[in-house]
Amino acid sequence: MRLYTYFRSSAAYRVRIGLALKGLDYESVPVHLVRDGGGQFKPDFLAVNPQGLLPALLTDEGAVLTQSLAILEYLEEICPPPAAALLPADPLSRARVRALAQIVACDIHPINNQSVGKYLRGELGADEAAVGAWMRHWMARGFTAMEKLVDSQSDYCVGSHPTLADICLVPQMFNARRFGLDLAPFPRLVAIDETCQALPAFQAAAPASQPDAE
Ligand SMILES: N[C@@H](CCC(=O)N[C@@H](CS)C(=O)NCC(=O)O)C(=O)O
């Protein structure tokens, strides 16, 4: 498999964690999201993903998959338990895991991604302080809900193993630190992040471990 990725892309980071938890080998194809106007807008990448977003996964069969949550569910389906389960077995826990993952992937990340920042700075004339405040506002709102919704006694968001919820949370925590969000109000999320970061799969997927890390 081939993963189109960028070390700092949190959506690609999710897929890197999923691939590592499943023990699947892949080749990294770095696409620089900033340099030269952004590799995501170049014709060779748009031919891979017409949406011009990372990640994209080229499967062993030659199919291109896009959207991190769809890719992660694909990995779960081609590599089901006993390989690391990205979703719990029972329907209620699965729904909780998907809801937590979607707080990050649907409600925080889309209004905080690079193109939104670029629009705020360019079209709306926002300065760096205003852009930072925007990013932190939406992260804090989502994290406030997540802090209440994760298990109160577990090491992970739901249950005793990392799931899609943790896979979405950890890269978002990376973004939160990058934008200087005060994490003191989110002690559960900080503890879950720390537990996950100690696992080899999360370490292998971390931005600093990527071949294109700067
Ligand atoms: N919903 C998409 C989000 C993808 C996305 O926004 N990717 C970002 C990197 S984290 C990107 O490629 N941004 C480039 C841009 O905004 O121009 C997913 O989960 O895969």
Side-chain angles (χ1 to χ4, degrees), residues 97-119:
V97 163
R98 288 188 169 115
L100 287 163
Q102 287 173 26
I103 289 176
V104 173
C106 304
D107 297 335
I108 299 177
H109 182 265
I111 44 177
N112 271 12
N113 76 8
Q114 183 182 306
S115 41
V116 171
K118 202 167 154 189
Y119 187 83

Side-chain angles (χ1 to χ4, degrees), residues 1-6 11-12 14-20 22 24-29 31 45 47-50 53-79 86:
M1 285 192 276
R2 191 179 289 172
L3 179 68
Y4 293 82
T5 177
Y6 177 56
R14 295 174 200 151
V15 173
R16 296 195 303 258
I17 297 168
L19 287 162
K22 292 291 188 187
L24 294 167
D25 280 336
Y26 64 96
E27 178 195 345
S28 285
V29 182
V31 177
F45 182 69
V48 175
N49 181 5
L53 295 173
L54 294 172
L57 184 77
L58 179 67
T59 71
D60 289 337
E61 295 78 23
V64 177
L65 302 180
T66 62
Q67 289 291 339
S68 60
L69 291 186
I71 297 171
L72 287 161
E73 295 232 13
Y74 167 80
L75 298 180
E76 181 76 342
E77 284 160 13
I78 60 161
C79 208
L86 306 186

